[in-house]
Amino acid sequence: QVQLVESGGGLVQAGGSLRLSCAASGRTFSMGWFRQAPGKERERVASVTWTGGGRNTADSVKGRFTISRDNAKNTVYLQMNSLKPEDTAVYTCVACKSGSSCSRPDYWGQGTQVTVSS
C-alpha cells in the first residue's frame, strides 16, 4: 500500500501561482493529479511516469501547469501558473502501478483545496 500526502494548496488571486507537492511512501510507475470542482465531474489534470519521460497534461491547463517529479524524494509536483477562477477545485494526488497517463489510479491522496479569487 502506497500512502500519498499532499501539500501546497490555498487561496490565491487570479493570475497568481501555486505549487502542489505530493510525497509517496513508495515508488509507483506513474503519478499525477486529478481535480474536482463543486458540481463538476472529476478531471484528470496531469501525470508523469517514474522516468519522467511520459508526461500528460489536460488541454484545460496546458501551457499553465507543469508536472514534475523528484525520484529521490518519491515526490511529484504540480506547478500552477496564471491561475484562473475556474481552476478552483480540490486537487488530489494519485499514483498508478501501470499506465503512463495514470487514468485509473491505484492510490489516492486526501486532496487539497485550491481557491482562485477573481
Side-chain angles (χ1 to χ4, degrees):
Q1 187 75 9
V2 174
Q3 309 278 335
L4 304 174
V5 179
E6 302 116 329
S7 61
L11 173 65
V12 65
Q13 288 189 331
S17 299
L18 280 176
R19 189 176 81 155
L20 304 182
S21 301
C22 175
S25 62
R27 182 187 296 188
T28 56
F29 181 81
S30 58
M31 294 180 69
W33 296 89
F34 278 68
R35 70 181 181 182
Q36 187 165 24
K40 294 188 176 181
E41 292 189 356
R42 182 181 289 152
E43 177 187 21
R44 185 169 60 85
V45 177
S47 61
V48 62
T49 58
W50 171 257
T51 62
R55 296 172 192 260
N56 293 277
T57 308
D59 289 343
S60 59
V61 303
K62 198 162 291 184
R64 301 187 298 121
F65 291 13
T66 302
I67 190 168
S68 62
R69 66 187 295 169
D70 182 336
N71 292 337
K73 297 180 180 180
N74 276 345
T75 299
V76 66
Y77 304 97
L78 185 67
Q79 179 66 44
M80 305 184 293
N81 299 327
S82 302
L83 283 161
K84 305 175 181 180
E86 51 263 44
D87 294 318
T88 295
V90 174
Y91 286 70
T92 305
C93 177
V94 297
C96 291
K97 298 177 182 178
S98 62
S100 61
S101 65
C102 203
S103 58
R104 296 182 178 182
D106 297 288
Y107 308 104
W108 294 79
Q110 292 298 311
T112 185
Q113 177 70 45
V114 171
T115 302
V116 184
S117 63
S118 58

